[in-house]
Amino acid sequence: MTAILHPVAGKKKSLMLCEALAEGGATGHIFYGVDASNYEHWCEVRKSGQPYLYIDNAYFDKCRDVYFRVTRNALQETRWLDSDCARFDALGIPIEPRYERKQGYTLHVLQSERFMRFTMDGEDCTFVGRRKNLKTRVWGQNKPEQVKTFARDLYRSALVVTHSSAAAIGAVLAGVPVETSKYSAAHWFSGKPVTDPIWNNRRRWAGSLADRQFTIEELRSGYAWSILNG
């Protein structure tokens, strides 16, 4: 099977990343983002069970626009794979002590409307339910500013609730409990108190994710495809 590209129309970055992965030898349908321009193909591919590769931003905000995650037949890597953690350690991202705050707000991080409408095909995202002391963060385009204010909000939070935002990964590394959908790479920690033994293995989990995000050069060289197809 050859590579079949489905970039978002008019988005140079989407086309460039799809082409880079194909140049590296990847096969199957390749997407970076979904909107009205490629929504029909997205639905057809997933419904038919054809293999696809989904490219998106890095799992970790610190290396956004340097690394890009790539997942086979999924939006995020929801498996827990073996890792020597070398790539994660090289990022210099700290793993903070676990916090069990009895006080503090529930931080609800919304996904973009486009993501929920097209990529998730309109899936209901109301699992946040009714909660006391709820603070909602609305998705925005200014990512550097969002990262800065998220760190501030996270410090005051007792719980982070989100569908599949990278905010959940940041919360887990910061030691803050999370609730996510099954599509989130952080679903392993969802609903589990910080006293659960799984929280002792955050470095191994983060290492697994770091192994599956790649630079543009790694997409083009075939390194990414060798990992994904290994």
Side-chain angles (χ1 to χ4, degrees):
M1 185 177 186
T2 59
I4 305 170
L5 312 188
H6 303 281
V8 171
K11 296 292 186 180
K12 293 181 180 179
K13 180 180 178 181
S14 179
L15 177 60
M16 180 266 292
L17 288 166
C18 289
E19 288 180 337
L21 188 56
E23 186 179 335
T27 61
H29 297 270
I30 302 177
F31 294 85
Y32 177 89
V34 180
D35 71 358
S37 68
N38 60 354
Y39 176 65
E40 184 176 346
H41 290 138
W42 174 244
C43 292
E44 288 176 356
V45 168
R46 298 180 80 195
K47 184 177 181 179
S48 67
Q50 297 178 67
Y52 68 88
L53 294 158
Y54 187 82
I55 312 169
D56 207 336
N57 293 304
Y59 284 111
F60 311 100
D61 283 331
K62 180 178 180 178
C63 51
R64 189 183 182 88
D65 292 329
V66 176
Y67 288 86
F68 299 89
R69 71 176 187 259
V70 186
T71 318
R72 296 190 73 173
N73 306 320
L75 299 177
Q76 296 187 23
E77 184 54 78
T78 55
R79 300 171 298 170
W80 191 317
L81 303 169
D82 290 336
S83 173
D84 62 7
C85 299
R87 286 173 70 89
F88 174 72
D89 292 344
L91 297 175
I93 299 174
I95 298 178
E96 304 291 349
R98 293 169 287 177
Y99 294 100
E100 189 173 18
R101 297 187 179 99
K102 294 183 179 180
Q103 296 184 345
Y105 45 63
T106 295
L107 184 62
H108 182 204
V109 182
L110 295 175
Q111 309 284 147
S112 72
E113 186 276 336
R114 190 185 78 173
F115 174 83
M116 295 308 301
R117 179 183 175 188
F118 293 111
T119 311
M120 293 309 306
D121 198 21
E123 178 170 307
D124 183 21
C125 190
T126 58
F127 63 92
V128 65
R130 294 183 178 182
R131 299 175 188 271
K132 296 180 180 178
N133 203 14
L134 180 68
K135 178 180 177 67
T136 300
R137 285 181 59 88
V138 180
W139 183 90
Q141 292 281 8
N142 190 340
K143 286 298 180 181
E145 181 62 25
Q146 285 218 309
V147 169
K148 185 188 302 182
T149 57
F150 175 65
R152 180 195 63 203
D153 287 345
L154 194 57
Y155 180 75
R156 302 167 182 168
S157 301
L159 175 69
V160 171
V161 179
T162 188
H163 182 273
S164 54
S165 168
I169 295 171
V172 169
L173 294 177
V176 178
V178 297
E179 289 184 12
T180 73
S181 74
K182 64 183 180 181
Y183 302 102
S184 170
H187 77 94
W188 296 94
F189 301 87
S190 181
K192 295 181 179 178
V194 293
T195 52
D196 190 290
I198 195 171
W199 286 79
N200 296 327
N201 297 316
R202 286 180 291 165
R203 178 172 171 267
R204 288 179 48 238
W205 163 74
S208 175
L209 299 184
D211 288 348
R212 281 157 181 79
Q213 60 176 26
F214 310 95
T215 65
I216 295 173
E217 291 73 20
E218 288 174 336
L219 297 179
R220 289 197 176 108
S221 69
Y223 173 77
W225 182 236
S226 72
I227 297 297
L228 296 165
N229 198 39

